[in-house]
């Protein structure tokens, strides 16, 4: 277990930098390490998170007690790498990360994680801390010298003490996203003076102070501790990083200072502004691409002997189509259109796959409408279908699990028990059996049937689409494909004829919308463990969305206005 104050003992960073970090950490009692998972979730002896339920409004819309009550604790939330890089460019300028070695896939939009802290880890460990400090150190020491330093600070070419000392408190307030305390101001001004005493010129001393402020805990964390209801400044950070992935702009901070973010009307006005902003539209579009795991296309491989059409160009076209479809639907359609719309975009490569007329070349994507009853929405797009297939054929299991988890938020079953692993492997490799025959075996054989009856039907409904998304009515040898299925009871139990009916049913019964609402709540909280699809906050936000215009902007708005985002359990 490493306390923030103890980080000063690490040898990698200069003593002067650690000196300020240690001073500024003095008011933070949180520990790093312990048995905590993403978002502070307690980890049990089996290494898995112990769920504490989800956040909520305390009551269901009908007034009955919540089945999953408010359980979002008071906490500190680490800024993930993406948010940190966006904060640096916002604070220091758009070119500040030029030449900086970026950790993980930061900057690669196609490989963005939907919930970064789930994969990065919510608290700092030595690797995370080293990567974070390296990024900040390289950005400041390399790209903040001379003219860029003067432009940031507003100081003359030969900066003066008075200018740097006047700049630092203003800068720290922007970095901390709140007013600084007297002790904080004293600490970093003393740090700046100590650098000068040690022989650093004014610009170098100022640059070291800037770097140290950026490395301090209030810069690297969002604080949500102290009161059961978030303060205006805490709300500003919560909303801004949720909607735009950037720190609060001046208008949002001004609203916090004026007390407008602790009123429903004041908060709603800022939420609406952020959703409509270019940063909000771009971030939320990327978030949805990440949520549907489009980046997995880059690792998708097909047998070139069976699918010679599956080139890098086609794979990129699949990504581009779904990205364009998601963006168009989010901002010009309704949420259910993500599943039910027969419209999309296609270039010449995709037109061949789909058997329709689209763009005239590989670089031109034209709006298209699919033949009636053939395919609709995300589950009819080649990207999703190809990602959720094997190298040589389709996969009822992979497609079924994807719908079960990503589209409906139903419980993901465990892996097959070791006792039947060999039998499962042999059955999957049987090239003489169709996917339905294999599914029939699984759903009628114990212990497989206990799980597969809960998700195989979704995959069976998509059997009319081959491993790269082409529509087909028969298997090889002219064997007819039966894509009908009876949905599990958890999805309503309806009998459907195929993929188009599947998407229509799960969209109209609310399963899809509620699932997406709960996942947006998880994203907003930067924690996948604190929200249950059945909790009161999700239910309230979903019902308000459903009674409105049912657009994505309204869904985001209702999630952002939820008490789940603004209330923290006292003493938890």
């Amino acid at each position: 277990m490493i306390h923030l104050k103890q980080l000063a003992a690490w040898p990698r960073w200069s003593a002067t930098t650690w000196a300020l970090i240690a001073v500024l950490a003095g008011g933070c009692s949180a520990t790093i390490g312990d048995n905590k998972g993403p978002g502070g979730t307690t980890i049990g002896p089996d290494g898995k998170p112990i769920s504490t339920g989800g956040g909520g409004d305390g009551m269901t819309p009908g007034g009955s007690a919540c089945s999953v009550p408010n359980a979002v604790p008071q906490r500190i939330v680490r800024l993930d790498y993406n948010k940190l890089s966006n904060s640096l460019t916002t604070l220091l300028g758009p070119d500040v990360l030029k030449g900086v070695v970026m950790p993980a896939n930061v900057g690669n939009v196609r490989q963005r994680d939907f919930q970064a802290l789930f994969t990065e880890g919510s608290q700092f460990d030595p690797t995370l801390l080293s990567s974070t400090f390296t990024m900040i150190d390289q950005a400041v020491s390399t790209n903040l010298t001379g003219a860029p330093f003067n432009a940031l600070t507003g100081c003359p070419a030969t900066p003066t003490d008075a200018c740097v000392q006047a700049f630092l408190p203003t800068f720290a307030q922007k970095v901390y996203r709140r007013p600084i305390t007297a002790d904080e101001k004293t600490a970093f001004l003393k740090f700046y003076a100590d650098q000068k005493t040690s022989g650093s010129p004014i610009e170098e001393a100022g640059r070291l102070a800037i770097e140290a402020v950026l490395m301090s805990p209030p810069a690297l964390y969002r604080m949500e501790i102290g009161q059961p209801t978030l303060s205006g400044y805490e709300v500003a950070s919560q909303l801004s990083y949720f909607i735009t992935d950037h720190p609060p702009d001046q208008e949002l901070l001004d609203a916090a200072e004026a007390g407008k973010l602790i009123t429903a009307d004041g908060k709603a006005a800022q939420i609406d502004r952020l959703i409509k902003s270019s940063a909000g539209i771009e971030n939320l579009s990327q978030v949805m691409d990440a949520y549907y795991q489009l980046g997995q296309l880059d690792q998708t491989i097909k047998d070139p002997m069976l699918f010679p059409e599956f080139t890098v160009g086609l794979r990129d076209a699949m990504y581009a189509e779904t990205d364009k479809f998601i963006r168009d639907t989010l901002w010009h359609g309704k949420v259910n259109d993500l599943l039910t719309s027969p419209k999309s975009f296609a270039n010449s490569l995709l037109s061949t796959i789909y058997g329709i007329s689209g763009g005239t070349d590989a670089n031109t994507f034209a709006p298209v409408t699919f033949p009636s009853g053939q395919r609709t929405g995300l589950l009819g797009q080649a990207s999703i279908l190809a990602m959720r297939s094997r190298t040589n054929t389709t996969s009822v299991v992979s497609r079924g699990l994807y719908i079960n988890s990503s589209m409906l938020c139903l419980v993901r079953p465990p892996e097959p028990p070791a006792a039947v692993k060999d039998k499962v492997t042999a059955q999957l490799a049987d090239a003489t059996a169709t996917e339905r025959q294999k599914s029939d075996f699984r759903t009628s054989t114990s212990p497989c049937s206990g799980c597969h009856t809960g998700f195989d039907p979704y995959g069976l409904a998509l059997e009319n689409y081959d491993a790269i998304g082409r529509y087909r009515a028969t298997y090889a040898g002219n064997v007819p494909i039966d894509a009908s299925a009876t949905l599990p009871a958890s999805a309503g139990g309806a009998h459907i004829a195929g993929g188009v009916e599947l998407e229509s049913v799960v969209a109209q019964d609310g399963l899809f919308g509620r699932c997406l609402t709960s996942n947006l709540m998880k994203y907003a909280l930067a924690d996948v463990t604190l929200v249950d699809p059945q909790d009161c906050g999700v239910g309230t936000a979903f019902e308000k969305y459903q009674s409105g215009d049912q657009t994505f902007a309204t869904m985001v708005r209702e999630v952002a206005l939820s008490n789940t985002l603004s209330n923290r359990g006292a003493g938890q």
Side-chain angles (χ1 to χ4, degrees):
M1 181 172 66
I2 303 172
H3 194 279
L4 287 168
K5 290 181 180 179
Q6 295 175 312
L7 295 177
W10 290 13
R12 176 178 173 81
W13 304 100
S14 68
T16 51
T17 299
W18 283 118
L20 180 61
I21 292 172
V23 170
L24 293 179
C28 181
S29 60
T31 56
I32 294 177
D34 294 339
N35 60 327
K36 300 293 181 182
T41 301
T42 300
I43 301 299
D46 59 355
K48 298 180 180 179
I50 300 174
S51 175
T52 56
D57 296 325
M59 300 291 285
T60 62
S64 60
C66 281
S67 61
V68 185
N70 183 1
V72 178
Q74 294 184 3
R75 60 194 186 142
I76 59 174
V77 184
R78 186 178 73 80
L79 299 187
D80 63 51
Y81 286 141
N82 216 54
K83 289 178 173 56
L84 176 59
S85 64
N86 288 337
S87 297
L88 291 176
T89 55
T90 299
L91 292 164
L92 304 179
D95 298 325
V96 75
L97 295 177
K98 185 178 180 180
V100 173
V101 178
M102 305 298 284
N105 288 310
V106 177
N108 184 345
V109 173
R110 285 172 66 139
Q111 293 302 315
R112 180 173 175 178
D113 287 314
F114 170 68
Q115 186 50 271
L117 289 182
F118 188 70
T119 53
E120 291 179 16
S122 65
Q123 305 293 350
F124 281 116
D125 61 21
T127 300
L128 279 171
L129 196 63
S130 177
S131 297
T132 298
F133 283 7
T134 295
M135 178 164 48
I136 295 171
D137 180 58
Q138 288 181 345
V140 174
S141 62
T142 303
N143 297 318
L144 205 62
T145 62
F149 177 85
N150 298 331
L152 175 68
T153 60
C155 294
T158 303
T160 64
D161 265 334
C163 181
V164 173
Q165 289 171 343
F167 163 76
L168 286 173
T170 303
F171 176 71
Q173 184 160 311
K174 291 180 180 178
V175 174
Y176 291 0
R177 306 173 293 279
R178 59 161 174 78
I180 59 173
T181 66
D183 286 347
E184 287 167 341
K185 179 178 179 179
T186 298
F188 56 69
L189 286 179
K190 181 180 184 301
F191 176 85
Y192 166 72
D194 288 345
Q195 307 318 300
K196 286 194 60 193
T197 300
S198 299
S200 295
I202 291 175
E203 180 183 314
E204 182 182 359
R207 190 163 52 250
L208 287 170
I210 289 170
E211 185 173 336
V213 170
L214 289 168
M215 291 180 178
S216 60
L220 301 176
Y221 286 98
R222 288 194 298 105
M223 306 295 179
E224 297 179 353
I225 52 179
Q227 298 297 325
T229 301
L230 298 186
S231 71
Y233 289 104
E234 290 169 336
V235 169
S237 286
Q238 166 78 77
L239 294 179
S240 191
Y241 281 117
F242 165 32
I243 298 172
T244 73
D245 214 41
H246 284 73
D249 61 13
Q250 194 58 52
E251 184 173 342
L252 197 54
L253 292 173
D254 289 344
E257 183 179 12
K260 295 180 179 178
L261 295 185
I262 57 175
T263 68
D265 289 344
K267 189 188 299 185
Q270 291 300 316
I271 290 169
D272 290 342
R273 178 180 69 86
L274 293 175
I275 291 173
K276 294 175 183 176
S277 69
S278 58
I281 290 171
E282 179 60 28
N283 173 57
L284 291 170
S285 298
Q286 290 184 21
V287 165
M288 292 300 290
D289 280 359
Y291 173 62
Y292 290 117
Q293 304 169 32
L294 283 189
Q296 290 188 8
L297 265 174
D298 290 342
Q299 289 80 49
T300 298
I301 299 172
K302 301 299 174 186
D303 186 331
M305 299 298 292
L306 298 175
F307 303 103
E309 307 91 341
F310 193 76
T311 62
V312 172
L314 178 60
R315 189 184 66 192
D316 288 346
M318 291 177 176
Y319 183 99
E321 177 204 3
T322 304
D323 175 62
K324 291 176 184 294
F325 171 78
I326 286 175
R327 288 170 184 264
D328 185 67
T329 305
L330 294 184
W331 309 112
H332 303 291
K334 297 182 183 297
V335 168
N336 279 352
D337 292 341
L338 288 168
L339 288 186
T340 62
S341 174
K343 300 180 182 298
S344 191
F345 303 86
N347 66 355
S348 59
L349 298 175
L350 281 171
S351 297
T352 301
I353 296 298
Y354 290 144
I356 57 176
S357 297
T360 55
D361 56 53
N363 297 317
T364 304
F365 282 80
V368 297
T369 300
F370 296 118
S372 178
Q374 190 177 102
R375 66 176 82 227
T376 59
L378 288 167
L379 295 180
Q381 296 195 1
S383 59
I384 305 297
L385 295 164
M387 285 191 303
R388 295 297 164 177
S389 296
R390 296 193 286 274
T391 59
N392 61 342
T393 188
T394 59
S395 173
V396 162
V397 171
S398 180
R399 290 175 175 181
L401 286 173
Y402 180 78
I403 295 169
N404 184 75
S405 299
S406 297
M407 299 292 181
L408 306 181
C409 294
L410 299 175
V411 176
R412 182 183 175 92
E415 294 298 317
V420 298
K421 186 175 181 180
D422 290 343
K423 184 183 292 185
V424 169
T425 301
Q427 203 251 356
L428 286 174
D430 183 359
T432 65
T434 66
E435 284 295 298
R436 178 169 290 278
Q437 289 170 334
K438 293 176 182 180
S439 177
D440 288 344
F441 172 82
R442 292 189 295 266
T443 55
S444 62
T445 303
S446 180
C448 305
S449 58
C451 292
H452 283 273
T453 52
F455 60 85
D456 270 25
Y458 307 127
L460 287 172
L462 301 181
E463 266 298 279
N464 279 129
Y465 312 107
D466 74 5
I468 61 172
R470 290 177 298 202
Y471 187 84
R472 59 187 183 172
T474 62
Y475 292 117
N478 213 30
V479 177
I481 293 175
D482 177 10
S484 65
T486 300
L487 297 182
S490 56
H495 186 76
I496 56 173
V500 172
E501 282 194 18
L502 167 65
E503 291 185 284
S504 177
V505 167
V506 299
Q508 296 308 319
D509 70 6
L511 273 176
F512 174 69
R514 187 174 183 121
C515 174
L516 184 54
T517 303
S518 71
N519 279 301
L520 283 175
M521 193 84 77
K522 293 176 183 180
Y523 174 77
L525 288 168
D527 196 320
V528 299
T529 66
L530 293 179
V531 176
D532 187 291
Q534 302 305 315
D535 81 19
C536 305
V538 171
T540 299
F542 174 64
E543 290 198 7
K544 288 181 177 179
Y545 144 82
Q546 202 169 35
S547 64
D549 61 13
Q550 298 186 15
T551 63
F552 182 70
T554 294
M555 181 179 284
V556 173
R557 185 182 197 267
E558 296 304 335
V559 167
L561 284 171
S562 170
N563 287 348
T564 303
L565 261 65
S566 58
N567 290 349
R568 297 293 175 265
Q572 294 185 19

